[in-house]
Amino acid sequence: MPFPPHPRTRLRRRSLLASAAGAALVAGCSAAADTTGPGRGTSAADRVRARAARDSEELGQRYAAVIAAHPALAARLGPLCAETVRHAQAFGAHPGSSASPSASGSASPSASGSASQSASAVPADPKAALAGLAAAERTLADRRAAALLDMPGELARLMASVAAAGAAHVYLLTEGGR
């Protein structure tokens, strides 16, 4: 003959079920915080994605400005610029909205002309221009790597991949020419 369950056991099961239900509600609420809600407009992930696209577009424009100021660097910088444009597109930027690689492998400034405006900010010394690009790449890669913990899965993977590519660009800009 089986023994009846002890009254304390029943309380523990109820407590466990209640806490599991509470945890599910809390998890649901925290997941809902990232979605579009009244007055929010866009989700946090959408804002991060848009910011990453803008950052990559600006970096592409910076590459285009350096290439315009130092045409001898076009063969070296063209592929990096093209990859930066692809990063912007992966984050949701529209094709042609930033510096875009031409058929020759160099970059052309965007339609807005911001790359040509920033050409005056490009150092006259090619080594200094490369160092400026490397610093911009390093800063952006570090910022993206630091933000990974707050990203949802697929966006975190994309952000990690682009941050790693940025770190590789830093290496190519600083050590690749030696």
Side-chain angles (χ1 to χ4, degrees):
M1 167 183 255
F3 294 107
H6 191 273
R8 265 186 129 175
T9 306
R10 212 173 290 150
L11 288 176
R12 287 185 191 160
R13 279 188 218 143
R14 286 183 192 148
S15 298
L16 179 63
L17 290 174
S19 63
L25 286 174
V26 170
C29 290
S30 65
D34 284 342
T35 61
T36 303
R40 294 192 67 117
T42 60
S43 72
D46 289 341
R47 288 189 300 274
V48 168
R49 188 179 292 273
R51 170 67 190 261
R54 279 192 312 274
D55 288 344
S56 291
E57 287 176 330
E58 290 170 6
L59 188 59
Q61 292 169 356
R62 190 166 182 164
Y63 271 103
V66 171
I67 291 170
H70 302 286
L73 296 174
R76 183 175 177 186
L77 298 181
L80 301 179
C81 181
E83 190 168 282
T84 302
V85 170
R86 285 191 299 274
H87 294 162
Q89 292 170 353
F91 285 118
H94 300 293
S97 62
S98 65
S100 59
S102 67
S104 65
S106 65
S108 61
S110 67
S112 66
S114 58
S116 60
Q117 291 171 354
S118 63
S120 61
V122 175
D125 178 32
K127 288 184 181 182
L130 289 174
L133 280 174
E137 285 274 15
R138 183 177 295 116
T139 299
L140 189 53
D142 289 347
R143 187 170 66 223
R144 287 175 171 166
L148 286 175
L149 297 176
D150 300 327
M151 301 295 118
E154 192 60 35
L155 182 56
R157 285 186 283 279
L158 176 60
M159 191 76 78
S161 176
V162 174
H169 288 187
V170 171
Y171 174 80
L172 292 171
L173 290 167
T174 57
E175 305 292 328
R178 292 181 185 185

